[in-house]
């Protein structure tokens, strides 16, 4: 007896979800997204503001987008992700629907339901797609994992009381998490 085939979902299925229902699509599998916590939202807001202010001050082509922001990671019909923070420095990748291709910098804030995806499949997908830098902020573990894929996948670990340098800006931008009072 042949094994039953699992359904492979596409971006069309994600776009057909009812208004307000958020999900991600990774390799044809849909992952529902839960409502973020207050701590999660505070982190997203603070990071968006700090990164955005830095970009305004320095100029350049980079753009920061907080979730919900669509990333069509592999420019195919089977991968659609909404990172918590997305930085894109190539304006040709952007349109009104989101980012088409690999962002330069992605930040994910871990929740209990996303832990294995953030540390596992997303880490792999972002690296293979060409993301330059990936941060995993884990408030429950007081940890920030920084992956600098541009420099041989160098990994650094920080706490939520450290200053964390941003690799894509050659350390010119450092985010002082102790100042965020978490």
């Amino acid at each position: 007896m042949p094994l039953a085939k699992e359904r492979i979902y596409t971006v069309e299925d994600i776009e057909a979800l009812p208004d307000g229902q958020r999900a991600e699509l990774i390799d044809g599998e849909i992952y529902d997204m839960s409502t973020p916590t207050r701590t999660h939202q505070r982190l997203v807001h603070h990071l968006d503001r700090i990164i955005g202010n830095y970009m305004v001050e320095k100029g350049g082509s980079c753009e920061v987008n907080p979730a919900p922001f669509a990333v069509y990671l592999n420019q195919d019909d089977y991968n659609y992700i909404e990172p918590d923070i997305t930085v894109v420095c190539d304006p040709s990748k952007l349109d009104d629907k989101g980012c088409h291709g690999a962002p330069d910098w992605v930040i994910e804030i871990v929740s209990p339901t996303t832990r294995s995806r953030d540390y596992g499949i997303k880490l792999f997908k972002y690296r293979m797609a060409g993301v330059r830098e990936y941060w995993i902020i884990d408030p429950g573990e007081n940890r920030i994992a920084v992956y600098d894929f541009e420099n041989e996948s160098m990994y650094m670990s920080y706490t939520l009381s450290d200053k964390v340098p941003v690799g894509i800006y050659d350390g010119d931008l450092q985010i002082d998490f102790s100042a965020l009072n978490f």
Side-chain angles (χ1 to χ4, degrees), residues 3-73:
L3 294 173
K5 289 186 180 181
E6 288 185 33
R7 177 168 179 204
I8 304 295
Y9 293 93
T10 68
V11 169
E12 189 175 297
D13 294 306
I14 290 288
E15 292 171 345
L17 291 173
D19 285 344
Q21 183 178 349
R22 291 181 51 217
E24 294 182 311
L25 178 70
I26 302 174
D27 294 330
E29 185 172 342
I30 290 181
Y31 297 89
D32 288 324
M33 298 174 71
S34 59
T35 302
T37 65
R38 180 172 167 263
T39 297
H40 182 280
Q41 289 301 89
R42 287 178 61 215
L43 276 166
V44 168
H45 170 73
H46 287 302
L47 291 167
D48 179 45
R49 183 176 43 78
I50 291 166
I51 297 165
N53 287 346
Y54 174 83
M55 289 176 178
V56 167
E57 179 183 315
K58 296 295 181 178
S61 62
C62 296
E63 181 178 305
V64 61
N65 291 282
F69 179 74
V71 174
Y72 301 87
L73 191 59

Side-chain angles (χ1 to χ4, degrees), residues 2-181:
L3 294 173
K5 289 186 180 181
E6 288 185 33
R7 177 168 179 204
I8 304 295
Y9 293 93
T10 68
V11 169
E12 189 175 297
D13 294 306
I14 290 288
E15 292 171 345
L17 291 173
D19 285 344
Q21 183 178 349
R22 291 181 51 217
E24 294 182 311
L25 178 70
I26 302 174
D27 294 330
E29 185 172 342
I30 290 181
Y31 297 89
D32 288 324
M33 298 174 71
S34 59
T35 302
T37 65
R38 180 172 167 263
T39 297
H40 182 280
Q41 289 301 89
R42 287 178 61 215
L43 276 166
V44 168
H45 170 73
H46 287 302
L47 291 167
D48 179 45
R49 183 176 43 78
I50 291 166
I51 297 165
N53 287 346
Y54 174 83
M55 289 176 178
V56 167
E57 179 183 315
K58 296 295 181 178
S61 62
C62 296
E63 181 178 305
V64 61
N65 291 282
F69 179 74
V71 174
Y72 301 87
L73 191 59
N74 295 337
Q75 299 187 65
D76 62 20
D77 286 336
Y78 308 104
N79 290 281
Y80 168 99
I81 299 173
E82 291 185 7
D84 292 309
I85 299 283
T86 305
V87 173
V88 181
C89 298
D90 180 353
S92 71
K93 291 182 178 180
L94 299 170
D95 66 15
D96 282 343
K97 290 183 85 173
C99 175
H100 300 270
D104 293 272
W105 179 20
V106 171
I107 300 174
E108 295 283 10
I109 300 168
V110 172
S111 69
T113 59
T114 65
R115 180 175 308 282
S116 63
R117 277 197 311 274
D118 293 337
Y119 283 106
I121 193 167
K122 284 186 176 181
L123 174 64
F124 174 77
K125 294 296 286 184
Y126 290 145
R127 180 176 185 198
M128 297 311 293
V131 171
R132 294 168 56 198
E133 187 165 351
Y134 176 41
W135 289 19
I136 305 171
I137 301 174
D138 193 336
E141 297 292 325
N142 187 33
R143 179 175 50 202
I144 303 163
V146 174
Y147 295 89
D148 183 353
F149 298 137
E150 198 169 47
N151 293 303
E152 306 291 325
S153 298
M154 187 172 70
Y155 165 80
M156 296 293 295
S157 183
Y158 300 90
T159 70
L160 290 173
S161 59
D162 290 332
K163 281 186 179 178
V164 182
V166 179
I168 68 166
Y169 294 118
D170 297 322
D172 186 42
L173 171 60
Q174 293 193 20
I175 298 178
D176 185 357
F177 281 87
S178 68
L180 301 182
N181 299 316

